[in-house]
Amino acid sequence: MVFSQSNPRELAIRRAQEILAQKPLYIDTETTGLDRDAEVIELAIVDDDGKVLMDQLFHPTLPIPKEATRVNHITDAMVANKPAWGIYWPTIRSLFFGKTLAAYNADYDLRLIYQSNDRYGIRRETLNTFCVMKLYAQYRGLWDNQRGRYTWFRLEQAGQEAGIPIPNSHRAVDDTLLTRALLHWIAEQAA
């Protein structure tokens, strides 16, 4: 396949192929909210073959706000007997070490991972993340002059437009599998 240097769709396809060659891990978090006090309460990690390596709920340090439960349907009762994030971090870190982590809205997931680590006094380490949301935005190629970037799309919308039958349930495993399928779909498109 021959790619031009200026076509955003072609560049997105090439970048998706480059990321897939690295055999990334796909991650998604569900959290207690969006603010600086929010914590990870669910993490899914899926390998490039689609195997679920982790699907874990965590007990947060503060109660889950009702607004968060309305989105992800995770209640305080569901996490009452689950481990704290800090207990699982060594296992998570061992899975992340040396890998590219692909996520839909990777900046958000990375911020919440760091915030959760901060709560437990865990030293921040640089994680190699890749944002499938931004790549899909480039693939679509709709420029937003006001924001100075490509228009972002919700994961659910991206999956539907790509014809991927995995639901966007706002639960970590489903969203991780949908993100994986979307990256593979972009890489398989003809320029």
Side-chain angles (χ1 to χ4, degrees):
M1 184 179 312
V2 177
F3 290 99
S4 81
Q5 292 298 317
S6 60
N7 184 317
R9 179 171 285 189
E10 291 176 359
L11 294 172
I13 293 168
R14 180 184 309 153
R15 185 67 178 133
Q17 293 166 349
E18 290 168 355
I19 293 297
L20 287 179
Q22 298 174 27
K23 298 289 187 191
L25 293 180
Y26 301 85
I27 65 167
D28 186 69
T29 61
E30 297 303 329
T31 66
T32 60
L34 305 173
D35 62 17
R36 294 180 182 269
D37 292 326
E39 304 173 60
V40 174
I41 53 175
E42 184 177 43
L43 174 69
I45 305 172
V46 173
D47 72 12
D48 194 53
D49 294 324
K51 179 182 176 190
V52 176
L53 303 178
M54 180 177 287
D55 177 14
Q56 181 63 50
L57 289 169
F58 302 98
H59 183 84
T61 60
L62 299 172
I64 301 171
K66 290 178 180 157
E67 301 80 35
T69 298
R70 276 195 288 274
V71 173
N72 58 35
H73 309 289
I74 300 172
T75 65
D76 286 318
M78 292 169 64
V79 298
N81 296 316
K82 299 301 178 185
W85 172 265
I87 292 170
Y88 254 80
W89 178 249
T91 301
I92 296 166
R93 183 186 180 280
S94 71
L95 291 168
F96 285 179
F97 185 76
K99 298 297 268 179
T100 297
L101 308 175
Y104 205 85
N105 195 355
D107 293 343
Y108 175 76
D109 288 310
L110 184 61
R111 179 173 67 85
L112 269 291
I113 288 169
Y114 286 152
Q115 283 179 203
S116 296
N117 281 353
D118 290 348
R119 284 226 182 241
Y120 292 94
I122 298 168
R123 183 176 57 89
R124 287 192 182 196
E125 298 177 61
T126 302
L127 298 173
N128 182 22
T129 59
F130 178 78
C131 188
V132 178
M133 178 183 73
K134 291 177 183 176
L135 184 72
Y136 182 74
Q138 179 182 348
Y139 176 83
R140 288 291 309 278
L142 299 175
W143 188 256
D144 183 336
N145 284 324
Q146 189 173 4
R147 290 186 173 94
R149 61 167 168 78
Y150 292 107
T151 301
W152 294 347
F153 297 87
R154 291 181 342 270
L155 178 57
E156 178 178 24
Q157 183 179 0
Q160 288 172 350
E161 290 174 358
I164 299 168
I166 301 169
N168 173 229
S169 67
H170 292 287
R171 290 300 302 266
V173 168
D174 285 347
D175 293 357
T176 303
L177 291 170
L178 181 53
T179 298
R180 176 191 168 277
L182 184 62
L183 182 61
H184 280 258
W185 180 84
I186 294 168
E188 293 165 1
Q189 299 309 297

